[in-house]
Amino acid sequence: MDKQVLYDFNLERVVSEVIETNARRVLIQLPNGMKNYIPYIINYLKEKLRGNVELFVSTSHTYGACDIAEDEALRIGADLIVHFGHTPHPLYPKPKVRTLFIEAFINIKPSVNLIDKLVNKLHDLGLSRVGLAASLQYIKYMNYLALELEKRNFTVIVGRNKYENLMYPGQVLGCEYSCILSIENRVDGFIVVSGGKFHQLGASLVTSKPVIGVDPHREEVYDMSSMRDITLRKRYYKIMKAMDAENWGIVLGIKPGQFNYNAYGELINLLNNKGKKYIVFTANEINQHILRNIDTEYIEVFVVIACPRVVIDDLADYPKPVLTLGEAFMALTGRLDKYLFR
Ligand code: SF4
């Protein structure tokens, strides 16, 4: 593999799948952070497949495997989607078009510098039994890190996932942290490996144990406690503002792995039981612009039944409360003791 390429795109596997399934038209889908590798991927596949296959690349955002480009694939008549960077989504493991999921693990190992920083942080916080978790690209990196910490006498536990047929031990999604909860009572705190702070923040919202973030790209190690506290304070403020609202706007996301009709039914029952009024919207993309288009004085609070991270991370500054499903249940039932991440 080219030294410049940070990820293992496992292109040999892609070629075998195309040949074995006799695919003639293939749609490639990548997260935004990997799109700069498109020429590398396409040139490799064109060379190996010798012009026998038509290759298309989706420009859609691809935030997760909840957002498989199956409609694009159906429109162009693709017989295979190659989806890089995610494992199948628990709510939508079987897309309408045959899909090959490629993990794209990162090709780096923890440096001595990073391990030293991490060990110092663990000592500072008094953590000796730690749970390890990572987003998909960093699962192998996390396993190397576990070995290094064990060599330094830490007890390391990697939790199993509720969806272990679809996800790796220790793997988290922005919306799925069951591997954290599975070992919460056996550790002093968690280390979560991922680029940025997105997955680390999610982990810190589901557990009250300390969460240390590790960013392999920046070689940074940080305690998530203050970001967690600020985020929870903002979330509770919105939940409490929503508690007296009479008129609700319900936004039902329709992306394949985000569409949750059962949860929608639960919420509607609760709203009816509480005598609340509501208008239901459907949405593919959900952002500030879309909300402003449907917003009126009548609606006092929005609930988004889709990706909870769109609400927590992207819509936090919207002038009216915009709640996740879990937060809506908290507001409607008045049960505020435990933050419901859902
Ligand atoms: Fe999809 Fe949001 Fe979950 Fe990521 S966090 S997998 S974008 S629903």
Side-chain angles (χ1 to χ4, degrees), residues 50-121:
R50 299 202 183 118
N52 294 327
V53 178
E54 279 184 276
L55 298 171
F56 296 79
V57 182
S58 168
T59 60
S60 60
H61 284 303
T62 319
Y63 301 114
C66 56
D67 196 9
I68 300 290
E70 57 184 13
D71 290 335
E72 288 172 49
L74 287 169
R75 185 64 52 85
I76 61 169
D79 31 26
L80 178 69
I81 297 172
V82 180
H83 184 103
F84 288 99
H86 303 118
T87 42
H89 193 275
L91 280 185
Y92 198 71
K94 288 216 170 111
K96 283 186 254 174
V97 176
R98 184 186 185 96
T99 302
L100 173 66
F101 291 91
I102 298 283
E103 292 91 341
F105 293 119
I106 195 134
N107 285 324
I108 51 176
K109 290 184 182 176
S111 68
V112 175
N113 174 40
L114 183 128
I115 296 165
D116 286 347
K117 279 189 192 174
L118 180 57
V119 167
N120 288 339
K121 183 65 85 181

Side-chain angles (χ1 to χ4, degrees), residues 63-67 89 173-176 198 257-258 306-310:
Y63 301 114
C66 56
D67 196 9
H89 193 275
L173 304 177
C175 55
E176 217 303 303
F198 179 78
Q258 297 183 12
C307 172
R309 303 306 298 270
V310 168

Side-chain angles (χ1 to χ4, degrees), residues 63 135 172-175 177 192 194-205 222 224 227 307-310 312-314 341:
Y63 301 114
S135 61
V172 294
L173 304 177
C175 55
Y177 295 92
V192 179
S194 191
K197 294 186 176 169
F198 179 78
H199 294 92
Q200 292 86 339
L201 175 63
S204 75
L205 295 178
Y222 37 81
M224 291 303 295
M227 193 172 177
C307 172
R309 303 306 298 270
V310 168
I312 295 169
D313 299 69
D314 302 346
F341 183 85

